Amino acid sequence: MSGEQMRTTVSIIKADIGSVAGHHTVHPKQIEAAKQHLEKARKENLITDYYVFHCGDDLELLMTHGNGENNPKIHEFAWNTFKEISETVSKPLKLYAAGQDLLGEAFSGNVKGMGPGVAEMEFEERKSEPIVVFAADKTEPGAWNLPLFKIFADPFSTAGLVIDPSMHGGFTFRVMDVMENKNVDLACPAEMYDVIALLGTPGRYVIERIYRTSDKLLASVASTSRLSLIAGRYVGKDDPVCIVRGQHGLPSVGEVLAPFGMPHLVAGWMRGSHHGPLMPVSLENAKCTFFDGPPRVVALGFQVSDGHIVGVNENEPADLFDDPAFDKARATANELADYLRRQGEFMPARLGPDEMEYTTLPQVLDRLKDRLKPIA
Ligand code: F6R
Ligand code: MG
Ligand code: MG
């Protein structure tokens, strides 16, 4: 770019539009079709660059473009892409739960609230712009609460909060109440206890975005949709996505990844009804098996350069959890998964009544209603 600063938008839009072997993984033809759609959009200059991948049964469209956040053209393009692949690939192959996340009827300007998950951030490219994109399967947006808190507010996790003067002023969390559709900005470290008070309830309070307090530099954006609140019933968990910028006055890529060394318990897993450990995995292992899980997360690392994705090999993003450094986390996750399963349907292995309200359990409980008699 000559002189003027380049504004770039990174968008990740994802949906479960059907999968192979139940909710195990996407079909290669879905990936192929998505690549064709995105390549066409690139040729038509709607987007600058793209990368198609999947996490479990979720098809993930990572795009860079110059259209800003919530752009109706980008959203409509993603919606139509999912719709068409659902019709031309998922349904003819009788993939499981074909079109599952496409809840809306006609496109209404923004895919938010229509089923797909979205995280988007527009920024002026810095001299060098390292990005990490996270995608998880069999869990919900609140799954990011703990790791994002550690990355941007915990000095025992992110050394830069203590050591780097440009991070020392801390970060501000925009926390959303998904039940009441409200949000609040809270600055860490000053309001850290309030941040924890909210984020400790991940089914209700989720992080929408995080910025550096000193200059409002946007540092992270996460998806916040709750499908059950859109549909009023269980339609799968809202397998979430998240974008984090790194380095040079922001947490380093290593600090961004470090919290995933502890596979914390998240809500989701089988029938979206259980607590399970979030296991960091490579793209190769981003496919759920044991009890439809355990919940998994992938991390893709790349540089953004004049709107282009700069990665490794064929310019693919680096597969950051494809590393023996995360073997211990995976072993712990498997240990925890096994332990929790031995507890069957007894809480807290199974989620509490608030969360179960959106599943099929109330139908079962309903049948017992008349048999429950007042005690004389
Ligand atoms: C989790 C998920 C699966 C299904 C489960 C039962 O998000 O989608 O765990 O809930 O496989 O699916 P059905 O009821 O369609 O057989
Ligand atoms: Mg599915
Ligand atoms: Mg999924």
Side-chain angles (χ1 to χ4, degrees):
M1 291 295 294
S2 54
E4 89 209 41
Q5 283 295 324
M6 166 110 187
R7 280 194 84 74
T8 299
T9 309
V10 176
S11 298
I12 174 153
I13 308 186
K14 46 84 31 188
D16 177 345
I17 52 169
S19 42
V20 172
H23 296 279
H24 172 61
T25 191
V26 303
H27 191 279
K29 283 191 173 154
Q30 292 173 305
I31 296 268
E32 207 36 59
K35 282 183 184 165
Q36 283 169 12
H37 278 79
L38 290 166
E39 181 58 22
K40 187 161 172 281
R42 191 188 63 77
K43 286 197 174 123
E44 289 167 359
N45 291 321
L46 178 66
I47 60 174
T48 314
D49 209 349
Y50 65 88
Y51 183 65
V52 178
F53 66 104
H54 74 97
C55 185
D57 54 9
D58 297 296
L59 184 60
E60 318 264 352
L61 312 179
L62 172 63
M63 300 172 278
T64 53
H65 55 93
N67 300 297
E69 296 169 21
N70 294 312
N71 181 274
K73 279 197 221 141
I74 295 289
H75 281 232
E76 184 168 27
F77 164 70
W79 176 259
N80 288 341
T81 299
F82 289 134
K83 269 273 184 212
E84 204 172 307
I85 298 173
S86 190
E87 294 302 323
T88 58
V89 182
S90 311
K91 287 181 185 170
L93 292 178
K94 288 177 78 174
L95 297 186
Y96 197 66
Q100 172 184 286
D101 285 356
L102 307 178
L103 301 176
E105 289 299 322
F107 179 73
S108 60
N110 195 306
V111 290
K112 271 184 203 160
M114 298 185 76
V118 190
E120 295 185 287
M121 69 161 52
E122 186 189 20
F123 50 76
E124 216 161 74
E125 283 186 22
R126 296 174 293 164
K127 197 168 146 205
S128 178
E129 194 58 72
I131 302 274
V132 179
V133 163
F134 292 101
D137 188 33
K138 306 294 185 270
T139 184
E140 59 179 18
W144 305 133
N145 285 10
L146 177 57
L148 284 177
F149 174 79
K150 283 190 178 175
I151 295 165
F152 289 100
D154 180 2
F156 277 80
S157 189
T158 291
L161 293 167
V162 178
I163 296 173
D164 182 348
S166 49
M167 283 168 65
H168 209 80
F171 290 87
T172 298
F173 289 67
R174 181 162 299 165
V175 178
M176 181 176 176
D177 175 345
V178 293
M179 302 291 179
E180 301 252 324
N181 212 26
K182 292 177 176 167
N183 64 28
V184 56
D185 281 11
L186 294 164
C188 283
E191 299 179 291
M192 178 186 285
Y193 301 156
D194 295 314
V195 169
I196 295 175
L198 295 179
L199 296 186
T201 308
R204 172 158 195 169
Y205 299 101
V206 301
I207 298 165
E208 206 182 302
R209 55 187 57 217
I210 299 169
Y211 52 88
R212 192 163 60 189
T213 308
S214 59
D215 59 358
K216 301 245 180 314
L217 185 91
L218 187 56
S220 180
V221 169
S223 59
T224 54
S225 60
R226 293 276 322 246
L227 289 177
S228 56
L229 300 179
I230 301 167
R233 63 187 158 84
Y234 181 71
V235 271
K237 277 285 177 201
D238 319 83
D239 306 322
V241 285
C242 172
I243 307 171
V244 181
R245 292 166 90 184
Q247 306 287 155
H248 197 72
L250 295 176
S252 71
V253 168
E255 288 167 335
V256 170
L257 300 177
F260 293 91
M262 195 280 274
H264 64 298
L265 297 180
V266 296
W269 205 356
M270 172 59 74
R271 298 174 191 274
S273 305
H274 297 85
H275 284 120
L278 186 63
M279 183 158 77
V281 293
S282 62
L283 286 171
E284 172 64 26
N285 288 317
K287 43 198 177 190
C288 290
T289 54
F290 176 57
F291 201 56
D292 282 359
R296 282 157 211 241
V297 56
V298 297
L300 302 185
F302 53 95
Q303 298 288 134
V304 174
S305 172
D306 293 341
H308 291 272
I309 293 170
V310 176
V312 292
N313 304 326
E314 303 283 313
N315 236 3
E316 299 201 335
D319 188 358
L320 296 167
F321 289 144
D322 182 16
D323 183 349
F326 287 92
D327 281 352
K328 177 121 186 286
R330 293 188 269 266
T332 306
N334 282 322
E335 195 66 44
L336 286 166
D338 175 59
Y339 173 84
L340 280 160
R341 283 318 306 139
R342 283 190 258 157
Q343 202 171 307
E345 291 312 288
F346 292 77
M347 281 173 59
R350 198 191 68 201
L351 304 186
D354 285 3
E355 299 283 327
M356 295 304 290
E357 208 183 298
Y358 296 101
T359 69
T360 46
L361 184 67
Q363 293 171 34
V364 175
L365 296 176
D366 238 30
R367 293 185 194 162
L368 293 173
K369 215 172 49 198
D370 297 335
R371 293 184 57 190
L372 279 160
K373 307 285 184 211
I375 299 168

